Every structure is written in structure tokens, then in C-alpha cells.
Amino acid sequence: MTPRRLQILNYIGFVWDAMDSRCRWDDDGWMRMFEELTKYKEKHSNCLVPRKYEGNPKLGNGVSNQRKHLKYKKKGKSTQMTAECICKLEEIGFDMNAVILRCIVQSSMIIIVKPDSFPGCLQ
């Protein structure tokens, strides 16, 4: 890569190590996701965003990532999830343990299942 390209990328705020900034509560991207999650909660009265949420696919993916990192944290695995991030999620009633499944019977339904409700299942 040329020095000029490097300079341009640095100038526009290119993140060279994406793992470095993931899940930090004060990170602009995380805060945007958090604000979208707050709007979702106002509209739906919960934070159970489907992973493939058609209304905002990035939010669905972001919420899924939060649950994944919280699960890593709970198991003592390495993650960038901070205590501040966890506190902000807890403040708005984010269910750390919810697993969202889509079932199609006659129409789309969302069923909330807590993994500890079914030992050996969904863990």
C-alpha cells in the first residue's frame, strides 16, 4: 500500500484493527446500534430483535453479536465486551439469555426460549 493511501485511510478514520473497537460502549458504531435497539424496544416493548430482522438487518446482526459476546464473557472466554456495555444493555432490559427462534406454522411467529428451560438443548 502506498504511503498516500495509508494517509487517506487514516484521515477518514479507517479502523485498522476492528477487533480493537468491537463492543465498546463508547464506540460510535456500538452507540448507534444501542440507540436503534432502544427505538426497537420503544416500538415492540422488548429487546428481542430477530437475527434476520427485516426492518433493520444491521440491528438484528448487532444484537446477535451482543448475545454471542455476552455468552463468551459468561464462559470466561476472551471478548471485547466491557462492563459498561453490559450495564447499558441491562438498563434497557436486554435479555442476555434469550434465544430467538423463528417458527412458521401459518404465519411467522417469534418464540422466546430460555436455554436453561430445556437442559441439553440450545446450549
Side-chain angles (χ1 to χ4, degrees):
M1 182 175 306
T2 68
R4 178 72 180 140
R5 285 185 181 177
L6 218 87
Q7 182 183 21
I8 291 168
L9 290 170
N10 285 330
Y11 177 78
I12 63 169
F14 184 80
V15 177
W16 292 101
D17 186 357
M19 292 297 291
D20 222 16
S21 63
R22 192 179 333 171
C23 297
R24 290 190 180 157
W25 77 274
D26 59 347
D27 178 67
D28 288 342
W30 193 91
M31 283 305 295
R32 279 192 299 275
M33 186 278 305
F34 181 76
E35 288 166 9
E36 289 296 319
L37 180 59
T38 303
K39 289 177 191 173
Y40 181 93
K41 182 179 181 181
E42 288 172 10
K43 182 177 180 181
H44 300 279
S45 302
N46 63 58
C47 297
L48 302 170
V49 183
R51 191 167 136 219
K52 294 185 179 183
Y53 178 48
E54 291 177 10
N56 185 341
K58 284 185 178 183
L59 178 62
N61 190 42
V63 167
S64 177
N65 282 332
Q66 296 307 301
R67 285 204 172 86
K68 178 177 75 175
H69 284 278
L70 286 164
K71 192 176 191 179
Y72 289 164
K73 188 98 169 164
K74 190 175 179 181
K75 289 182 177 183
K77 292 183 179 181
S78 178
T79 178
Q80 296 293 321
M81 180 68 70
T82 65
E84 294 90 349
C85 176
I86 294 169
C87 285
K88 287 192 83 64
L89 290 169
E90 286 176 344
E91 284 173 8
I92 63 166
F94 187 80
D95 189 346
M96 311 290 181
N97 299 311
V99 176
I100 301 172
L101 304 174
R102 266 195 197 274
C103 291
I104 300 174
V105 182
Q106 291 179 347
S107 62
S108 291
M109 295 173 57
I110 297 175
I111 299 173
I112 290 68
V113 178
K114 298 229 177 182
D116 55 354
S117 302
F118 300 97
C121 181
L122 300 171
Q123 307 232 350

